[in-house]
Structures are given as C-alpha cells and as structure tokens.
Amino acid sequence: MKENVKSEEAVKIKETKSEDVKTDEAKTANTSKCECCCHKKKERSEKEYKDLIHRLNRIEGQIRGIKRMVEEDAYCPDILVQVSAANAALNSFNKVLLANHIRTCVAEDIREGKDETVDELVKTLQKLMK
C-alpha cells in the first residue's frame, strides 16, 4: 500500500513540475512581449541601493522563516502572524521605492516635459491598489 502512495506522490510531483514548466514558458513568452518599462534602468545612490537590498534581505529571511514554520508543522495562527509581518515589510518596501521613484524619475521627467511619465505613474498606482 505504501508503494501505491509513493507512486501517486511521484505522479503528482511530475504533474506539478510539468505545470511549472508551462508557467515558466508562459512567463518567458510574456516577457518578450512586455510593453512596460522593462527596458528602462535606474541609477540609484549607494545609500538607496543598500537600504533597498537590506529590506529585501530581511523580507527574504522572513519568508524562509515562514517556510520553516510550515515544514515544522507550526500552529496556523503563528504562521499567519508571520505572513502578515512579511506582507507589511513588502508594503513598506513598496512605499519607499515609490517615494524614491516620484522624487527622482517622475520629478525629473516632468521637468523635462515628459508628460507620459504621469500616465505611467497612474498605471503603476492602479496596479498597486488592486
């Protein structure tokens, strides 16, 4: 009976991997058709860069901690509290990045008469507020 369970698990794993490959292929196809600002780059100051990376490293650590909690069968509410903390950290990261973007990229483009930047900002804000 254990062999049947293992066989079923192996089939599920193969199906999941197959779905992941299809998802990755779809992402790759979408990336080549991207109509967003993917081609643009932003030079950040050393301070801004270090702050953003520091925040992302902390968030990454939080996610690893959540994964470990699931693996160790932690109590659901305890995991939920940690997920909420990770969400708050991501939201904080977004706020800092958005503020920096407005102060630098958007302000500079407006000074240069590039009004399309305002439209881009509006679209970005709409995506963030879903």
Side-chain angles (χ1 to χ4, degrees):
M1 182 150 175
K2 285 184 181 180
E3 290 177 18
N4 285 344
V5 172
K6 287 183 181 179
S7 297
E8 289 174 15
E9 288 176 9
V11 169
K12 286 179 185 176
I13 290 170
K14 285 180 183 178
E15 288 173 356
T16 302
K17 286 182 181 178
S18 175
E19 289 172 12
D20 290 344
V21 168
K22 289 176 186 173
T23 302
D24 289 342
E25 289 170 356
K27 286 179 184 176
T28 303
N30 288 339
T31 303
S32 62
K33 296 177 185 176
C34 183
E35 295 177 10
C36 61
C37 60
C38 298
H39 63 281
K40 294 182 181 180
K41 298 269 184 173
K42 160 83 162 107
E43 287 189 34
R44 292 178 174 79
S45 69
E46 187 70 20
K47 182 183 181 308
E48 180 184 0
Y49 173 80
K50 284 183 178 180
D51 177 55
L52 292 173
I53 294 299
H54 179 71
R55 287 172 180 271
L56 288 172
N57 286 338
R58 271 199 322 244
I59 293 166
E60 185 178 30
Q62 287 177 300
I63 301 301
R64 280 195 306 269
I66 293 167
K67 180 181 177 191
R68 191 170 33 256
M69 290 176 79
V70 171
E71 290 170 346
E72 295 172 359
D73 298 324
Y75 190 52
C76 298
D78 295 337
I79 297 171
L80 291 167
V81 167
Q82 292 307 310
V83 169
S84 179
N87 279 330
L90 276 170
N91 285 334
S92 178
F93 176 86
N94 262 356
K95 288 176 190 176
V96 169
L97 188 61
L98 180 61
N100 289 341
H101 176 61
I102 292 170
R103 286 187 189 106
T104 57
C105 304
V106 174
E108 185 178 312
D109 283 355
I110 289 172
R111 278 188 224 107
E112 292 175 2
K114 298 178 182 175
D115 293 332
E116 64 273 6
T117 300
V118 174
D119 295 332
E120 178 186 71
L121 178 61
V122 169
K123 286 180 185 176
T124 300
L125 290 171
Q126 287 171 342
K127 289 177 184 177
L128 292 175
M129 293 181 179
K130 285 186 178 180

